[in-house]
Structure formats: C-alpha cells, structure tokens
Amino acid sequence: MWTGVFPAVTTKFTEDDSLDHAEMERCFGLQMEAGCDGIIVCGSLGEGPMLSHDEKIEVLKTAQKVAGKKPVLLTVNEAGTREAASIARRAAKAGANGLMVVPSPIYHTNPQETVAALRAVAEAGDLPIMIYSNRLAYRVDVTVDQMEELASDKRFVAIKESSDDIRRSTEIINRFGDRYDLFTGVDNLAFEALSVGAIGWVAGLVTAFPRETVAIYQLMKQGRREEALDIYRWFRPLLDLDVSTYLVQNIKLAEVLAIDTNDRVRMPRQPLSGERRKAVEKIVRDALAARQKLPQF
C-alpha cells in the first residue's frame, strides 16, 4: 500500500510561536518536487508532542494541500490512549490517508498494554496504520511477536522499524513476508535496511536534502547499489544528526543552511547555540561543499 520516501516533516513556527503555514507549504513543496512519495506530519521531528490537537489538524491540512494525491499520515503520539483515540478520529474526519502510531511516550507500556492501545487507536480512527516501533527513543519495543498479534487486523499495514537493530528488518520479512509494508525509520541505517528488503524510508534529513534522499531510494530500487552507496557515504555525517536527543534542532539547522528557512522550535526546546551549533554547522557546510551531481534515475 505504501512505499518510497516519506519525509517526517518539520513544523514551522512564526516569531510569535504560531504555525507558519506559508513556510510549511514552501518546505513541503520542496519534498514533493524532489519526488518524495508521501508526507508524515507531527512526529518526533515535527514536534508533535508540543502541538495541540487543533494545531495537528491544521498541519495535516497544510500537508494535504501540498501533497495532492500522495498520502499524508498524521502521527499519533499521545500520552494517553483516550487522547490518542480522539486525535485518530479527528484525523479521519479531516481526510488523513493514515496514521503513524507511537505507543505512549510517557508511560512505558508492557506488551499486553501496547497491543491494546494500538488496537484502540485503530478502532477509533479506522484508518490504515503504520506502527512506529522505536525502543530507544520511547523505551517501548513493538516486537515481532506483537506485530503477529496485530496482523489479523488489516488496518495495520506498515511498520516504521526504528529498533536500531538491522537484524529486525530481516526478522519481520522472514515472519510476515509482505504482510506489512516495511519502512526504515533510522536515517543512518537506511542503506542497510533497503539492502535487506525495506520498501520505504521514513526520513529526517530529507527535509534539508530531499533530492539526495530520493536518489538513494530510487537507485536502490533499480539495483544500482554502488551509485546509491556513493551518495550514502557522502550523506552519512548528515544522517547521523537524526540519531540524537537534539535531532529536531540539528535538522532544522541543516534546513537553515540547505533550503534557507528558519530553525525556530517550540519550548522547552531552543535552537542550537555555542559549540554545539558550530559543530553541526561545520558538518552541514562541509557536506554542502562536497555535494555531488546526482545521477539520472
């Protein structure tokens, strides 16, 4: 059902901390122009937990306006299942093509609770769901066994595999074949995951470097591994910025330098400063200086 590059887009704010829809339209448009296959809004990179439900629906509608016929997914990352079910229902009414669902980032559910919460969101929204499994960031692992429990419900269509263990991708394919659309969700494991059978990439640095991200995916899809690997090796220092407590600030700073936008974030986050900012700026500027001409694909 879903395949390709799905940017986990950043949320843009004005100087007074309101949503900046005009800048989001521009930035989302760059993703579509580069050939991305869908958009995921209000995730970790999109500062979803810092947004009200009303704001999340507004961001969803802005993405829908830009994406046209391509799928737009809303991330469900609420602390409580009641609230998760509520935003799932609102997303369905607003015409979302699907949901990416994170188990509660506040309460660390046990396996029984995890499965029950995911089922409750599916029932409430009645939309296709990408299960977001990220045991490092959220300390809840949606395991292969739990995926098997959920497999009987056709609303669970995809997995965003972010366990940081590349072996998990093969385990999912061995257990389920093509039952789930397998996406990689860790930027600096993307080449490896695509090599072993992932069919999609929920990407972060794509927001600053959309053409390179799409090129890697398309070249891998065409079996042009060495060309993809050449770009990936150039990209790796940038991709490492996604795997950090400061991923939002890191990537928004990369956007400043690469696509001429701002790096405003919502408190308690603050833009990078001091030595940390200098270090990230150097990584991005070095990459820009060595940017390659992309092959045709």
Side-chain angles (χ1 to χ4, degrees):
M1 180 177 180
W2 293 326
T3 185
V5 176
F6 280 44
V9 291
T10 59
T11 302
K12 292 300 177 186
F13 301 105
T14 63
E15 291 183 1
D16 67 358
D17 199 37
S18 301
L19 295 177
D20 189 342
H21 291 284
E23 185 61 2
M24 281 189 278
E25 282 190 35
R26 186 185 76 85
C27 293
F28 297 172
L30 295 176
Q31 305 300 301
M32 296 295 98
E33 290 168 14
C36 293
D37 301 284
I39 296 177
I40 299 178
V41 299
C42 306
S44 305
L45 183 55
E47 299 174 76
M50 312 303 173
L51 304 176
S52 70
H53 282 194
D54 287 346
E55 288 177 319
K56 290 182 180 185
I57 298 302
E58 288 182 41
V59 174
L60 171 68
K61 290 180 178 178
T62 296
Q64 290 170 323
K65 181 178 178 181
V66 176
K69 294 182 179 180
K70 293 182 179 180
V72 179
L73 280 60
L74 177 74
T75 307
V76 175
N77 46 15
E78 308 302 316
T81 302
R82 178 184 62 179
E83 291 74 20
S86 175
I87 191 63
R89 283 189 288 267
R90 289 190 64 177
K93 289 180 182 177
N97 299 103
L99 306 170
M100 184 171 76
V101 183
V102 183
S104 172
I106 302 300
Y107 173 69
H108 307 135
T109 51
N110 66 32
Q112 179 182 352
E113 291 168 331
T114 302
V115 169
L118 288 167
R119 283 177 171 157
V121 174
E123 185 67 27
D126 197 26
L127 289 170
I129 288 176
M130 178 183 291
I131 300 167
Y132 182 13
S133 178
N134 188 335
R135 62 188 178 188
L136 295 184
Y138 301 113
R139 289 189 280 177
V140 173
D141 189 7
V142 184
T143 65
V144 177
D145 286 343
Q146 290 169 52
M147 294 173 196
E148 186 160 7
E149 285 191 65
L150 296 166
S152 60
D153 188 332
K154 293 181 179 180
R155 290 173 291 206
F156 294 103
V157 301
I159 307 293
K160 179 184 176 184
E161 167 34 37
S162 299
S163 71
D164 203 41
D165 182 354
I166 193 60
R167 293 170 293 190
R168 177 69 66 85
S169 295
T170 298
E171 290 166 6
I172 291 170
I173 293 169
N174 282 351
R175 180 79 68 95
F176 303 110
D178 62 359
R179 164 62 185 83
Y180 290 111
D181 298 334
L182 178 60
F183 280 66
T184 179
V186 181
D187 268 2
N188 62 4
L189 278 177
F191 180 87
E192 293 83 350
L194 294 169
S195 296
V196 298
I199 64 169
W201 181 358
V202 177
L205 267 298
V206 66
T207 64
F209 295 91
R211 297 192 182 279
E212 285 84 357
T213 307
V214 170
I216 290 170
Y217 177 81
Q218 289 295 336
L219 291 168
M220 289 296 287
K221 185 177 178 180
Q222 295 171 23
R224 296 160 63 182
R225 181 183 180 279
E226 292 304 318
E227 293 171 276
L229 183 57
D230 187 46
I231 302 167
Y232 186 67
R233 285 173 173 160
W234 164 85
F235 212 174
R236 259 300 303 272
L238 292 163
L239 297 177
D240 291 347
L241 297 174
D242 182 56
V243 188
S244 166
T245 303
Y246 297 96
L247 82 158
V248 176
Q249 294 97 317
N250 288 347
I251 292 175
K252 282 194 166 182
L253 180 52
E255 289 180 324
V256 168
L257 299 171
I259 62 170
D260 192 28
T261 185
N262 66 75
D263 64 342
R264 288 189 282 267
V265 289
R266 180 159 282 181
M267 291 181 71
R269 286 189 177 91
Q270 295 183 0
L272 296 182
S273 61
E275 292 303 312
R276 189 181 299 277
R277 187 178 186 92
K278 290 179 183 177
V280 174
E281 282 187 347
K282 184 179 188 306
I283 290 169
V284 180
R285 292 189 191 280
D286 286 352
L288 288 168
R291 203 171 193 175
Q292 308 170 34
K293 182 179 180 180
L294 298 174
Q296 296 293 316
F297 51 85

